[in-house]
């Protein structure tokens, strides 16, 4: 039911052409979906500033271009995650104003600069050099969602002193994203140092019993610190998104 | 929003007290949930004849009695699944008109006999003697949902000829429920013999690598027959329910 | 033992050439398999209208063509599932009357149009865009088995309102097939909206702890709705087949 | 090294009693731990208002009483989680001012009422009746950490309309905790309705392939919504704690 | 169909009362099951000397007594496996001629001594003291199936020299059953010493990552010796049975 | 220590050149390995007729040729398992008297025909067309180890009647090898039909929850028949080897 | 073969009673086991000071007493691990000179004090209070194997500063045993601080996805430090033993 | 803070330019990390002789060359593990003084020969031919860390006598590294023969239920010998490193 139909029924009631009982009958079977749809539209407008996202993995460059063409009409900013270099080159040669961040496997199209929306600073930490792409995905997602983002890479627990070198920046964070593969211990240590929310991201980096990231995931869920919650393996985008949502609380 | 409020708004429109635009404004923000609620009520009445169910496992007899007291006011039939003998005795001594089926760990309260609602015959087969409680749970559920139910127990694949002794009854079924633990092979064999839908129920019966029923579950999902779908381990109730729903198609 | 041999023995008994005892001896060792075989043939004729299927995955185009050549003599309709574009092109250039459905990785050969055999409407829903190939496999299987099939794609639970937009079509279904990857929640939600049988199909789409579809599979088996049964991961064919069998009940 | 020792060395340098080189030698081996320790003390004072916690599971009532005796001297509030009725009775008969919340398996001792510290409202939702103890643990933890907490129980996805009845309260939340066992779908649906952070808590409630909560956990990590992060199975305390930390951002 | 009915039909054909066509009609629908049933009976008589077995685990003493009463009429020997002391005492006080082997959790009833049926010697080895009950179950099963059985206990691979002390007996075996928990290495070592078939039995004995016997099971399946095949975890009965079947080849 | 050294010491003792005590000293430190080595040589001669085997998977054609060159000097027959077509062509062009069995991924070199060594007939059954390579590996292994081998392919449990067509051949077997993927049910059914040892081989054929063959493996280990033992997934060679060893008992 | 028999043969050769050839024949069949056995005895004497161990779990107090009676005749020290209070009381009332360490579930009997055999200091660290029993088992095992042992309990990574308070003692260690449950991160952090061997012990302490200690185990195996090796879950005894063996290198 | 800054502050205090209080203020905020850093530097000098390591897997040859260029300025020796032939050729053509060990997938650059630092002999054993690359990685790592290393390859438990041929060398070891795939039994057997520490390395070599090395890993953790600790699957580097650290105790 759109507003037109509603207008018609009500006008008819106002004019006495339709009785109240008949109108009730019509409106009772009014499908809530339509109203819900309107509601959702309104709801979406509340969410302004949230980028749309294309999950690039498993899509051809043609498919990505097709989706982009439609989204560009309605959106201010579109992120493409998990896009490899080959596809990124095809997409950027088609849309030259798209930026490609190879180290994060991510591309971004935006109409204008993102307005700052988060109140504090999101700090992204990562344990090993190979965790960096996931950490960068988190950084860029948070940045394009309008946050001040800082990052500290390569501070694994086997050289715990390197972590302490950055204590000042860590203390400054309102939300922390901590990315780690292998034994997944960094989030616990970081969470023990602060009283801010820590979003932990396990990565699939490792070998042997890393089990594609399950080991790091389970270790993080078992953390003896309580200011930690965890997102899916390698889900840098999700962590950056969740951190942004928290940073707007 | 309930019908009273809707009536009020419309009456006010009819009387000219509220303009069409103001009414639109009110109704536009009418929360779909309320309508949905009404809709659901209507929807439930369509589902008459479906018993309400109390999952008895992990509940005390007092909790079960409390829930029963509320349900009896509104329902015609209530099933209590996974109820052990000790609790069943307490419940039946409190409500003497409740029947306890010890071999199915199930109790039933009903206002009057269930009307026959399914069109054909549901046949429940089980592989081993220890699968019988799950099979009986399926039988009773289907029976109390208004179906003609027949059962064939103890026809495992290690003595496949015993299965063939019942071919006539198997051919007669409109839907089949096949319950098996251990290697979980019976549903495949049965499904190969008929062109009717087979609901397979893995049981947790077995030892060693039965893995609490996962082995039978996975075997059933891997069936080389295609007229099979599977419910959760030991979920005799679900199988009986699903078979009933199919039998009303 | 075929009917000819049986005829010969009985004629010989009738003519007195063979004694009753000798005939008993012959017939006692008559292998039941032969009778079973006859029975099965009759049985197959009851199943007319069910397409034969070639599982294309892991087969070369030459192997598929070889199997097709034999099947075409006896069958009215043959489905080839899990056939990639490369093989499909080779097969269709050899048999130009084969249709290839690239979006379902499926090819079909048929002598004439499939007669309508199912009574009601099968509705196939899918959660994400990447679940579509599995959903299309279910649609085409059900269609070629003689059913009226409708589909609703891209109605995941993170935007639950989009699902409600299609409530009318959902209510119309006699059987529903619900395809979902990731958290596998859609079948539970759909099953809560209807009182018809729902066949749930987990897909392997996802990353991190989707575990190749196990997460969606287990979620579906744990559904708090009871009118659900589940088929193997990515098994669109099986779901379409099972739905067809139910639609003929 | 505490400030006293540092003062002594420096005074001695200032007075010429200690040479610069000797002082360097002393300070070079000054163990960073001591400074860290001071730092930590300061740090803890920043965390005032966070309750201390005793994990009651597997501890005897005597052990709990012993720990309580020490903590009561230094703390304003102490939570005891996972404490069964038997132990709770012993503990409360020893310390009569401890409150026991049987439905959350939790006991609380506090010197005075908790000051309100969180800015917004934390809303805790749970799917099934058996998820309630975990949900209550989250509620009480958040409450005793100084937050305004509201709760909505028993709104599983199989009856999704019941969830919509509470949309207003859901929209009001600054942070949401969503507790669910079985298929673990509720957090995805809730997160799709809001743009606030959702902390998902899988529970071990269920049977068959719920795998002690792993199914719900994996489903939640695979959520197609991005404003979700997950804590360990049954970890209501952790969820309440994380929500509190977010609510103070 | 039994022979009587077949005789009747054929006599009727012979006498001309029944035409060949009518007889064909009758015999065509003769259900193969009946013939199969007769065949099976004959088949069972071929299997004489195989004991019947009651799986005692999860059965009450009353249930076991009930089953025994029926079996004793038709069988010469009945084994009851996995029967605990409590039940065994009840059963033996009811049937005083039943022998209980506490160290194997097994009870035996037999009409007369088992005739020797296996040709060679079955040797049962076990690795640790706690594997002995499973090993004894294998020994007794093989013995009561009419084999000469010898056993060597407590010869784990951590003291491999103890194994070599028994080389003569090992060389004498026609079939070997090797029972081991923990790392499950003994069957590989034994199989490397002989060219006879080795039946490996993993046990659930151990802790930590023994995973209820899965570790030993997988190790045995991965054996670098090829004259090994494996039965289910703790399945001493199955190993003794399989060894007996091989010993009759 | 070889016999020469032993001879020398003893001759020296006999001639009085070496005292008994000195000889004891020498012999006491005589490493048992040497004797064991001699023993092993003798032992190997007892095993004559067992082919040597090269596991071809993961080896280059050059490596295989190198190993073959050494083995050909000492062996009568060499099997190369898991060798792909590419490598097989290189190897056979180097050694033209090597036969390649593409359908079993196996190549064989032999000096002369294998003498018949097994007493009875080994029957190899397989369930699906894609299980054939594993079944053929079992057939060829058993054949080249000197056994009479028969095979029955494509008799899965979804069309159980096709199995019964071969009952005569099945009854004739002294040992059976049953190969099956998917639900892995065939070995149970076959084992229920005979009283001979059945070696079950799970294959990795399948998709979804076949879990690379684990489902079939676990189903087979859980078989309700007891005359079954299982080898590793896809281990056709091991099954053929084990069956040969049994056939020589 | 013992030395007596060897003496006899050689004396007989020396005296000319036995020919060299006959002696060769006797000695050729001399079973290496006997020599090995002698060797082992000698070998065991080299191991003096290693306590014998009784794994108490699953044994009755009577069984433990029986084993102790035999061992006391030959051993200087016997450890009983995993012995509960109930059994320990029965055992100590029977053998009053046995010491029971309740906090380590361990009892010890010794003839005299253990001589110091390890060269350096073994330091045992543990993360949480509930890991203490396992840590104590490691401490006592190492102590009774003749080592100087120090311990640091309750230094989990969530309060990493507490660990640094003990840096001096940590630096002093020659071998470290680090015990941790939950996320199992402590061994990585400790190993990053030292260049000594670290034996990591995962414990089963925790809930949710600790998976009975598998999470901690896998985290430890994935450690980004390289001076770590891991023992089985809860295997404090094994860690203490391995540390002792290293401390004697 | 480096020593220069500390010197400046203290000199200023000594000269009276800075008051004690101001100096305290400066030093109080002196970040412990800097001191820690100095400490670490000192600490690292204690560790001299430990090679730096580049994990080559997943890195391009350009990335490896870049890292090498930086490391060569500060280090005496650099190991590159898991480097394939293609990358190794590029790296060695750029730095001709780098040695490539193809059989260990390892490359080494060193300024001068490694000084002998370990006291005893490290013996590396491996079970199968395909375990050799991992074993060689362990050998080379230990060698370049300044140890005397010996190796025994291809001594699997299926031919246990071959192991005994090397007993002398095994007895000579101060530390043993035992590498095994498949059933992973070799470390248990070796550890039973010696009283020295054994580092066990599971390999991913195998098929079927080797589960990528998990089977061997779990078997090793379950070893019935106690002088064993385990490193990650295929972690030859870690085993060589741990053995070196033990050899310096």
């Amino acid at each position: 039911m759109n507003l037109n139909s509603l207008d018609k029924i009500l006008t008819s009631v106002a004019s006495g052409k339709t009785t109240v009982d008949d109108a009730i009958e019509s409106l009772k079977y009014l499908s809530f979906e339509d109203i819900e749809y309107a509601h959702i539209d309104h709801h979406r407008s509340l969410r302004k500033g949230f980028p749309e996202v294309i999950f690039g993995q498993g899509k051809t460059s043609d498919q990505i271009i097709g989706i982009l063409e439609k989204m560009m009409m309605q959106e201010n900013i579109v992120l493409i995650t998990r896009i490899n270099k080959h596809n990124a080159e095809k997409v950027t040669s088609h849309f030259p104003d798209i930026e490609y961040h190879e180290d994060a496997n991510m591309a971004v199209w935006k109409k204008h600069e993102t307005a700052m929306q988060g109140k504090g600073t999101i700090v992204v930490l990562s344990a090993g050099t190979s965790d960096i792409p996931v950490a960068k995905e988190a950084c860029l997602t948070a940045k394009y969602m309008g946050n001040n983002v800082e990052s500290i890479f390569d501070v694994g627990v086997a050289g715990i002193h390197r972590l302490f070198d950055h204590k000042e920046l860590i203390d400054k964070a309102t939300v922390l994203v901590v990315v780690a593969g292998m034994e997944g211990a960094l989030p616990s240590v970081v969470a023990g140092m602060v009283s801010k929310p820590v979003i932990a991201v396990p990565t699939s980096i490792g070998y042997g019993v890393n089990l594609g990231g399950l080991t790091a995931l389970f270790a993080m869920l078992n953390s003896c610190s309580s200011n930690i919650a965890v997102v899916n393996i390698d889900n840098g985008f999700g962590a950056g998104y969740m951190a942004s949502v928290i940073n707007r609380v």
Side-chain angles (χ1 to χ4, degrees), chain A:
Chain A
M1 166 157 290
N2 55 31
L3 295 189
N4 282 351
S5 340
L6 186 58
D7 192 318
K8 258 189 222 158
I9 292 173
L10 290 172
T11 308
S12 185
V13 169
S15 66
K17 280 190 206 149
T18 299
T19 67
V20 167
D21 280 2
D22 286 355
I24 284 176
E25 211 55 31
S26 304
L27 290 172
K28 202 170 69 185
Y29 292 108
L30 150 160
S31 82
F32 63 87
E33 299 85 60
D34 296 340
I35 288 181
E36 163 66 354
Y37 194 74
H39 180 75
I40 284 300
D41 263 356
H42 178 63
H43 177 68
R44 289 197 78 81
S45 71
L46 287 175
R47 302 206 314 204
K48 278 280 168 293
F50 280 55
E52 273 301 314
V53 181
I54 302 167
F55 187 70
Q57 192 174 296
K59 295 208 174 68
T60 66
S61 56
D62 281 354
Q63 289 176 316
I64 294 171
I65 290 167
I67 300 171
L68 272 169
E69 274 168 351
K70 284 188 199 147
M71 283 193 171
M72 282 170 172
M73 298 182 201
Q74 302 165 356
E75 303 294 334
N76 287 321
I77 178 160
V78 181
L79 304 183
I80 312 158
T81 61
R82 310 263 172 122
I83 179 167
N84 57 34
K85 202 177 177 177
H86 174 81
N87 279 350
E89 277 164 2
K90 294 216 165 168
V91 170
T92 51
S93 79
H94 195 270
F95 297 114
D97 53 344
I98 281 184
E99 278 173 61
Y100 179 50
H101 300 269
E102 191 181 344
D103 51 2
N105 302 314
M106 205 170 179
V108 184
W109 170 86
K110 55 179 194 291
K111 250 190 212 145
H112 41 68
E113 284 312 303
T114 322
M116 200 54 54
Q117 304 201 27
K119 289 165 293 190
T121 297
I122 293 171
V123 174
V124 177
L125 296 100
S126 73
T129 45
S130 39
D131 302 324
I132 293 180
V134 175
K136 289 247 162 119
E137 193 183 277
C139 286
L140 288 173
T141 301
K143 183 185 150 195
Y144 287 117
M145 286 177 76
N147 297 284
N148 184 28
V149 182
E150 305 262 4
S151 62
I152 307 169
F153 293 159
D154 212 2
V155 286
V157 297
I160 202 75
H161 63 282
R162 287 185 300 198
L163 179 64
F164 293 133
D165 291 347
H166 302 279
K167 192 146 197 322
E168 204 171 344
L169 181 50
I170 290 168
D171 280 345
K172 190 178 114 187
T174 42
V175 195
L176 299 103
V177 172
V178 187
V179 180
M182 303 190 78
E183 78 269 70
L186 191 60
S188 276
V189 173
V190 172
M193 293 167 66
V194 300
S195 55
K196 298 292 163 45
V198 171
I199 306 303
V201 193
T203 69
S204 57
I205 295 310
Y207 57 103
V209 292
N210 81 317
L211 303 177
L214 279 178
T215 292
L217 168 66
F218 289 161
M220 290 169 181
L221 287 165
N222 264 303
S223 172
C224 38
S225 303
S226 290
N227 46 337
I228 285 186
V230 186
V231 298
N232 201 354
I233 296 166
D234 290 336
N235 192 5
F237 169 74
Y241 193 104
M242 180 70 174
S244 301
V245 171
I246 294 174
N247 199 28
R248 294 182 194 186
V249 163

